[in-house]
Amino acid sequence: MMKNSEVKNIRFKLLAPFIASIIIILLSNLWNMYIFQQDSLREFSSSTTKQLYNNFNEAIKADIELFESSLYFISHNPLLQELWIEKNRDAIIAESTLIYEKLKQDHHVTHFYFHDINAINYLRVHKPNRHSDIIKRASLTEAITSQKISANIEFGTLGQFVLRAVIPWEIEGEIVGYIELGEEIDHILKRISVENKYDLILAVKKEYLYENNLENAEYFLNHKTELSQDNNSIILNKTSKEIHPRVIELLNTPKSNDETLYKSGDETILVAKLSIEDPQKNSIVSLAYIMDVTEHVRQSKSLLMKTIWVSLLLGLFVLNFYFLYSKKLQKSLLRNKNKLIEIIKERDEHLEESKKRYQTLFDKTADALLIIDNNKIIDCNQSTLNMLGYETKQQLIESPPSKLSPIFQSNGDSSKIKANEMITIAIEKGSHRFEWEHVRKNGQIFPVEVLLTAIPLKDVNLMHVVWRDITQQKKVAAALEKQAYYDILTKLPNRRLLLDRLKQALITSQRHDYYGAVLFIDLDRFKGFNDALGHVSGDLLLIEAAKRIETSIRDEDTVSRFGGDEFVVLLKNVGTVLDNAGIIAKKIATKIQCAFNKSFIIQGHELQITLSVGIAMFPFNNQNVEDVIKNADTAMYDAKENGRNQISFYMKQMHKQVLKRLTMEKDLHNAINKGELDIFYQPQLDGDGKVVTLEALIRWKHPEFGFVDPEYLIAMAEDTGFIYEIGDFVLNKSIKDIQNINQEFNSSINLSINISVYQFRQENFVKTIENLIKQYNIEENFLTLEVTEHIAIDNFEETIEKFEEIRCLGVRLSLDDFGTGYSSLNYLKRLPLNELKIDKSFVFDIESDPQVALLVKSIIQISHQFGLFVVAEGVETTAQLQFLLEEECDVFQGFHFCHPITKTKLHSYLSSHQLKS
Ligand code: C2E
Ligand code: CA
Ligand code: CA
């Protein structure tokens, strides 16, 4: 910051050279002025001297011209010529005196001579008494020699200083004499002095004075001369009363011309000397002049003074201006300085304020903020601590950032790898926003939205992190998604979610090369119920129906309410072989239908609901979601047309399958006749390892397709009505076979035969059994009929009746596949059964699932309580057997002992095993 004194200093630093230069300019100006004044005085003196000389010469010249013209007129005066020829002296005197008087008066002529041709003076008109002397003066001599007018200033022997002009007097072509006019220089001097306002002094060197006779000279000069005895000059004429001492001094100097200014007291005089030479160039007379130049010097001085004053004033003005200006400059500097201080202060305040604001913003902002430097937390705000559940900043700062994330994100990404990726993106793009999962101090994982901003500073790479806890947001989003993707009434996924998932399923099935299926389910006659019982009942029915469908399918599959009474089931993966896949799909559809066999109790009303199911398989060609749904829908309508409670495939997709099936159906007709059907037997052993029973299992080796899946075969037979024929075939053949075996091995092994629901429901079924017993003379308990729970579903009371009739015939009844259907204990209690077969799926899970193990244990216990014989099917391992033995299961069947085998193979098997006798 600039202090006031510094501003002053600057001012004086600027001022010193400024004043110095002004003084130098002033002084040099004054010196110039002085020199100029001196020069101008000198110039003045010399020009004045020149002027004097000129004036003097001019005056002489003018007088000479005057003399010459006067002489011309005199010489041509006829009277005088006549008188001269006559030599009439008195008449000449009389006549010329008149002329002389006139000339004297008008032109200061003081001398008027007539000379004869021999230079002898004839008459001095101004002094007639003196004459006849020889005149030797230069002017006359020259006129005689040149025979022309001659004029000269001449210094006479007596000290006269005279201007003379001589004209040769010519009368009738003959020189008769000479006329001479002269004037004393005194007049000229006086005239010049008056005209030019200076005093003139004429001095002559003493040596030129005739015989040095001063007294004579003074006499002739007619005035007193002034001279100094020491001087070699003598003052002849002067126009002033006093002679300045300087003049004497000047006259005594050998220099011919000189001028000088002389100061005495207040006055200044100019003194100058002019040398006047004789024709032999001898300086004989000095003409000195004295001029009072006091006024001139005074004027010049006053001009100088004026100039000095003006310069001083000008300097003062400039200084004053400078002071004023510098004052202004200083003020403006001060003002600027103050302004600068103000600006800096303001900026500082701004900075401080913005710093504070930033700190407040950082501390108080609702978003969690964090600053990371080189993978180390260096700062965070309260929101961060609150969100992560840390008490102090220190705690958080000390923990590594990696501790804030779980090892894996919920989508399976490694947090560490992914976090580095995110940081790289943020550095590349400047900032990066993404969702992330963090861990609170208490271990709770929660979702956040992260905004990573790279702050590239010198040397460091700071990361500014903004976190927003989006747990709530996610919950809301989930709720919204539920609303958007789920049906409010049934809580099942809605059409939208179904289509979404189907889209995914289409892609993955294509990629992984397996088949999926869509079951389009429609409740038969729902509209009628709805109209009759009202919407509330209708809704309750739908809710119940949804539950039943849902419990019939696997977790990975999706049931959705598609609209109204339509449900769509998506089976993502039903196998890699199309017809098998179709069968599985159909099985599931059947299972769903079975789930509806039990009547619904809705607001006191007992309702029997059936379903029509359309199945569409995927993927085929470039099917899209809409195609698949449309196909399933078409198939569903087909099912409806076939008389409701039906399952239909969409023909296009199932074309091959259907063709195959048609072929098989056709072939099945002749299979029995052709001897393609066979029966395999699978032994059942008791706890001691004794073969007690053989289960008859149908086999069809199709000439084209090979072994047909028995379940598929039975389903096809049921569908086509061949089941009765097949049933009879199995019954007859197996009874014969086993009776033969018993005879052969002398054993009493029992026979177990699977009976289809359709077979059982035949009105004459009991009769058929009765006939067989008679026909083959079957012993009591030799034959066991294996039935499934489905048998009882439709007509429970009737089933019980039939069961009892069968039992009366000495035929045992076994409930097959226990655990896969309703498995109601009610059944066990009320149905007159002899045996229960735990389904192989339970046995399979005994080792791995403790709950299944517990269930199996309970089934065995309860069955025993009801007096039922328990058979475990699908025993494949020693461990399973061990468990079942411990739980006191009665009989065991499965690959652990033997696969279903041909009658031929059975012979060798039985030969090596203990048999029931
Ligand atoms: P099911 O009555 O439960 O027959 C037992 C099935 O379990 C047989 O399949 C048999 O091969 C299989 N199995 C036996 N031990 C094991 C084992 O340890 N592990 C495994 N994984 N499986 C074992 P299969 O022969 O394919 O018969 C399938 C189904 O077809 C039978 O199930 C039965 O419901 C039906 N079926 C077979 N033959 C006839 C028949 O003559 N009449 C009727 N109505 N249905 C039949
Ligand atoms: Ca069976
Ligand atoms: Ca079974």
Side-chain angles (χ1 to χ4, degrees):
M1 253 181 269
M2 222 193 280
K3 288 181 196 151
N4 282 0
S5 61
E6 281 176 59
V7 178
K8 261 182 202 160
N9 265 350
I10 285 179
R11 202 174 139 214
F12 281 106
K13 271 177 198 163
L14 283 171
L15 181 63
F18 184 75
I19 291 175
S21 53
I22 282 187
I23 287 169
I24 288 166
I25 291 167
L26 266 176
L27 284 176
S28 69
N29 253 357
L30 289 177
W31 177 249
N32 278 343
M33 284 305 294
Y34 173 76
I35 297 289
F36 175 74
Q37 192 227 7
Q38 290 300 311
D39 280 354
S40 76
L41 270 178
R42 210 169 294 128
E43 183 67 22
F44 172 75
S45 323
S46 79
S47 74
T48 308
T49 308
K50 246 180 233 153
Q51 191 64 40
L52 169 71
Y53 188 75
N54 284 343
N55 288 345
F56 183 75
N57 281 334
E58 286 295 318
I60 298 292
K61 221 172 137 194
D63 280 10
I64 285 173
E65 275 173 17
L66 187 87
F67 280 11
E68 280 176 352
S69 58
S70 299
L71 284 173
Y72 181 81
F73 283 112
I74 294 167
S75 63
H76 285 82
N77 186 320
L79 181 63
L80 273 177
Q81 284 184 353
E82 206 174 304
L83 291 174
W84 180 262
I85 291 165
E86 286 168 12
K87 295 286 190 226
N88 187 346
R89 189 172 150 88
D90 291 331
I92 290 170
I93 289 171
E95 182 60 28
S96 58
T97 299
L98 284 172
I99 296 166
Y100 171 66
E101 286 306 325
K102 184 91 173 99
L103 285 171
K104 193 180 178 181
Q105 197 182 332
D106 291 352
H107 302 297
H108 309 289
V109 174
T110 48
H111 301 74
F112 188 180
Y113 297 89
F114 287 97
H115 306 292
D116 68 10
I117 51 165
N118 300 315
I120 295 164
N121 178 255
Y122 175 75
L123 170 69
R124 285 180 167 85
V125 183
H126 54 285
K127 215 177 255 178
N129 297 333
R130 196 171 173 246
H131 54 86
S132 301
D133 50 334
I134 290 173
I135 303 302
K136 293 173 181 170
R137 288 193 293 264
S139 50
L140 181 62
T141 312
E142 200 186 320
I144 290 168
T145 319
S146 68
Q147 291 293 303
K148 278 179 184 162
I149 284 181
S150 90
N152 232 328
I153 292 174
E154 287 177 355
F155 183 67
T157 49
L158 290 175
Q160 311 101 310
F161 197 58
V162 185
L163 172 69
R164 296 178 194 273
V166 182
I167 189 169
W169 194 359
E170 200 183 292
I171 300 171
E172 290 165 4
E174 196 180 332
I175 304 293
V176 289
Y178 297 90
I179 309 166
E180 180 182 333
L181 285 176
E183 112 186 279
E184 277 175 24
I185 211 83
D186 209 23
H187 294 290
I188 300 170
L189 290 181
K190 264 183 191 144
R191 209 166 68 226
I192 294 168
S193 171
V194 169
E195 276 171 14
N196 293 287
K197 293 185 185 129
Y198 41 60
D199 292 329
L200 287 170
I201 293 134
L202 207 60
V204 65
K205 289 196 173 144
K206 282 182 185 168
E207 60 198 69
Y208 291 107
L209 287 176
Y210 179 68
E211 294 169 356
N212 274 344
N213 191 339
L214 272 177
E215 272 172 56
N216 257 345
E218 280 173 355
Y219 170 78
F220 280 106
L221 284 170
N222 203 23
H223 61 74
K224 275 263 184 218
T225 58
E226 286 171 53
L227 67 148
S228 153
Q229 290 301 324
D230 305 325
N231 279 336
N232 48 8
S233 291
I234 200 164
I235 306 296
L236 292 179
N237 302 76
K238 63 178 175 84
T239 56
S240 66
K241 279 189 183 140
E242 274 165 33
I243 294 171
H244 201 278
R246 174 72 185 134
V247 177
I248 307 298
E249 204 180 295
L250 193 71
L251 289 175
N252 282 332
T253 60
K255 256 172 123 190
S256 53
N257 294 321
D258 198 6
E259 75 250 339
T260 179
L261 275 172
Y262 199 80
K263 248 182 98 107
S264 73
D266 283 344
E267 61 177 13
T268 306
I269 51 165
L270 174 68
V271 181
K273 180 180 87 176
L274 269 178
S275 211
I276 296 170
E277 292 157 347
D278 65 9
Q280 285 76 45
K281 299 283 174 197
N282 295 315
S283 170
I284 45 168
V285 176
S286 286
L287 178 68
Y289 68 95
I290 299 161
M291 194 177 181
D292 187 349
V293 291
T294 309
E295 186 57 21
H296 182 85
V297 171
R298 201 186 57 77
Q299 272 178 13
S300 155
K301 261 187 185 165
S302 106
L303 186 71
L304 184 69
M305 283 323 281
K306 266 182 201 158
T307 311
I308 289 169
W309 277 117
V310 167
S311 297
L312 274 174
L313 279 174
L314 210 72
L316 276 173
F317 175 76
V318 169
L319 266 178
N320 196 37
F321 176 77
Y322 171 79
F323 270 102
L324 282 175
Y325 176 73
S326 72
K327 197 91 189 166
K328 218 172 137 190
L329 191 80
Q330 182 186 2
K331 265 187 196 161
S332 99
L333 266 173
L334 267 172
R335 245 201 325 273
N336 281 350
K337 186 188 91 173
N338 290 339
K339 223 187 229 168
L340 214 69
I341 291 168
E342 201 95 310
I343 288 168
I344 290 166
K345 216 174 118 193
E346 216 168 278
R347 255 224 227 132
D348 281 354
E349 278 168 8
H350 263 289
L351 206 70
E352 196 54 43
E353 204 180 306
S354 79
K355 240 163 118 187
K356 260 191 216 156
R357 226 181 303 151
Y358 170 74
Q359 198 56 47
T360 316
L361 211 69
F362 186 83
D363 289 338
K364 296 278 165 20
T365 189
D367 286 330
L369 303 177
L370 199 71
I371 293 174
I372 298 176
D373 177 14
N374 260 332
N375 208 30
K376 226 181 118 39
I377 298 167
I378 57 166
D379 199 7
C380 71
N381 66 355
Q382 190 57 42
S383 298
T384 302
L385 298 178
N386 295 347
M387 190 180 79
L388 293 170
Y390 286 82
E391 275 111 55
T392 63
K393 221 182 240 192
Q394 204 52 33
Q395 273 183 356
L396 183 67
I397 285 172
E398 277 165 8
S399 60
S402 62
K403 220 186 133 188
L404 304 178
S405 303
I407 296 170
F408 295 103
Q409 295 289 301
S410 64
N411 63 0
D413 287 339
S414 151
S415 292
K416 198 177 169 188
I417 295 169
K418 200 74 190 167
N420 285 335
E421 270 175 33
M422 299 294 107
I423 289 169
T424 310
I425 295 172
I427 291 169
E428 273 170 10
K429 295 202 307 186
S431 71
H432 183 43
R433 195 186 289 275
F434 56 94
E435 283 187 8
W436 193 254
E437 276 150 19
H438 275 298
V439 189
R440 295 194 219 274
K441 204 181 163 214
N442 64 11
Q444 189 193 10
I445 294 171
F446 67 105
V448 287
E449 186 194 75
V450 183
L451 175 62
L452 261 189
T453 306
I455 309 170
L457 295 175
K458 233 193 194 172
D459 307 330
V460 285
N461 213 334
L462 288 182
M463 275 285 157
H464 184 262
V465 187
V466 183
W467 277 333
R468 194 166 287 175
D469 187 336
I470 52 168
T471 309
Q472 212 51 38
Q473 203 173 308
K474 283 266 166 189
K475 272 187 194 159
V476 172
L480 280 174
E481 192 191 80
K482 199 136 186 104
Q483 242 177 46
Y485 289 102
Y486 289 83
D487 175 47
I488 298 165
L489 182 68
T490 60
K491 308 278 186 286
L492 289 179
N494 63 11
R495 178 195 289 251
R496 195 166 154 198
L497 183 52
L498 188 273
L499 296 178
D500 258 18
R501 290 191 181 167
L502 177 56
K503 197 174 174 185
Q504 270 308 311
L506 262 175
I507 295 166
T508 44
S509 63
Q510 259 162 343
R511 190 177 301 153
H512 299 293
D513 218 13
Y514 55 64
Y515 290 97
V518 164
L519 316 185
F520 205 104
I521 302 167
D522 187 86
L523 306 189
D524 294 331
R525 288 186 295 273
F526 175 77
K527 201 176 172 296
F529 293 120
N530 204 36
D531 292 348
L533 303 173
H535 291 290
V536 177
S537 296
D539 283 353
L540 290 172
L541 178 60
L542 285 171
I543 291 167
E544 194 56 33
K547 275 185 200 156
R548 290 196 189 184
I549 299 171
E550 209 176 7
T551 47
S552 308
I553 60 156
R554 297 171 301 182
D555 278 352
E556 65 260 38
D557 296 329
T558 302
V559 190
S560 72
R561 182 169 176 220
F562 210 64
D565 61 338
E566 291 171 341
F567 295 87
V568 169
V569 173
L570 166 65
L571 307 173
K572 283 196 227 164
N573 180 0
V574 282
T576 51
V577 181
L578 182 59
D579 50 349
N580 276 341
I583 288 159
I584 292 169
K586 194 181 173 188
K587 259 190 178 176
I588 292 168
T590 311
K591 201 172 165 191
I592 295 167
Q593 276 187 329
C594 286
F596 280 68
N597 285 343
K598 197 185 155 197
S599 51
F600 288 80
I601 310 291
I602 303 293
Q603 293 189 319
H605 304 279
E606 189 173 348
L607 305 173
Q608 202 64 49
I609 303 289
T610 57
L611 304 172
S612 292
V613 184
I615 303 176
M617 308 299 290
F618 65 84
F620 289 101
N621 303 324
N622 288 321
Q623 262 181 326
N624 60 26
V625 173
E626 284 71 32
D627 296 334
V628 179
I629 296 290
K630 211 173 79 200
N631 293 350
D633 192 30
T634 309
M636 190 274 291
Y637 274 100
D638 186 56
K640 280 232 152 131
E641 270 168 29
N642 289 348
R644 301 183 204 279
N645 199 17
Q646 297 289 319
I647 296 167
S648 272
F649 277 95
Y650 179 67
M651 296 311 277
K652 251 189 227 164
Q653 268 68 29
M654 293 304 289
H655 191 63
K656 218 173 122 192
Q657 160 73 11
V658 167
L659 273 184
K660 184 180 170 186
R661 191 173 162 129
L662 286 174
T663 316
M664 279 205 276
E665 279 179 9
K666 197 175 87 224
D667 294 345
L668 186 59
H669 187 67
N670 296 315
I672 301 168
N673 301 336
K674 280 183 168 177
E676 282 171 7
L677 285 179
D678 192 13
I679 297 171
F680 278 34
Y681 297 97
Q682 189 178 29
Q684 292 178 358
L685 291 85
D686 64 9
D688 300 329
K690 216 183 273 176
V691 178
V692 289
T693 308
L694 292 166
E695 183 180 354
L697 295 159
I698 189 91
R699 292 292 181 268
W700 178 24
K701 194 176 180 186
H702 189 275
E704 189 186 336
F705 307 120
F707 279 108
V708 178
D709 176 23
E711 274 185 70
Y712 183 74
L713 171 64
I714 296 301
M716 190 165 63
E718 285 174 345
D719 284 354
T720 53
F722 280 113
I723 189 68
Y724 311 111
E725 221 176 305
I726 289 173
D728 287 344
F729 167 78
V730 174
L731 279 167
N732 284 288
K733 190 177 186 310
S734 62
I735 291 168
K736 272 190 260 174
D737 280 351
I738 303 307
Q739 279 184 337
N740 287 342
I741 280 180
N742 274 335
Q743 270 174 13
E744 206 176 313
F745 286 92
N746 195 23
S747 59
S748 46
I749 301 168
N750 295 326
L751 173 63
S752 205
I753 298 173
N754 295 289
I755 302 296
S756 148
V757 182
Y758 290 80
Q759 250 180 304
F760 184 78
R761 282 186 189 158
Q762 275 180 301
E763 266 186 36
N764 59 352
F765 180 67
V766 181
K767 193 78 193 151
T768 309
I769 300 296
E770 202 183 337
N771 290 342
L772 281 172
I773 290 168
K774 280 178 190 164
Q775 191 187 340
Y776 294 102
N777 193 18
I778 292 171
E779 292 167 29
E780 205 181 342
N781 291 336
F782 168 74
L783 189 62
T784 300
L785 300 183
E786 293 189 11
V787 293
T788 60
E789 287 165 303
H790 299 287
I791 277 179
I793 282 164
D794 259 358
N795 240 319
F796 199 64
E797 300 306 323
E798 202 181 302
T799 307
I800 293 171
E801 246 175 67
K802 264 192 182 175
F803 269 30
E804 277 169 351
E805 281 171 28
I806 291 165
R807 279 190 65 167
C808 285
L809 295 171
V811 173
R812 294 174 81 246
L813 280 168
S814 174
L815 187 65
D816 203 358
D817 301 340
F818 186 79
T820 56
Y822 305 104
S823 307
S824 160
L825 287 174
N826 216 22
Y827 281 42
L828 295 181
K829 236 196 263 174
R830 292 181 64 196
L831 283 174
L833 292 164
N834 299 93
E835 184 187 279
L836 183 140
K837 286 187 86 171
I838 300 172
D839 189 69
K840 53 183 178 287
S841 64
F842 287 95
V843 175
F844 188 80
D845 288 333
I846 279 173
E847 288 170 90
S848 59
D849 193 337
Q851 270 183 315
V852 170
L854 192 69
L855 193 71
V856 170
K857 189 180 168 180
S858 311
I859 291 168
I860 296 169
Q861 279 176 5
I862 292 164
S863 301
H864 284 165
Q865 275 171 25
F866 293 154
L868 294 173
F869 202 72
V870 182
V871 179
E873 67 171 21
V875 178
E876 293 182 355
T877 65
T878 317
Q880 289 165 353
L881 176 64
Q882 199 58 43
F883 176 84
L884 293 162
L885 278 168
E886 272 168 27
E887 299 307 324
E888 295 177 330
C889 182
D890 302 298
V891 171
F892 313 92
Q893 177 187 357
F895 299 162
H896 179 65
F897 308 101
C898 187
H899 280 257
I901 45 177
T902 58
K903 192 183 152 196
T904 319
K905 279 189 183 165
L906 185 66
H907 271 88
S908 58
Y909 177 83
L910 293 176
S911 341
S912 60
H913 284 82
Q914 277 192 298
L915 312 173
K916 189 189 167 216
S917 52

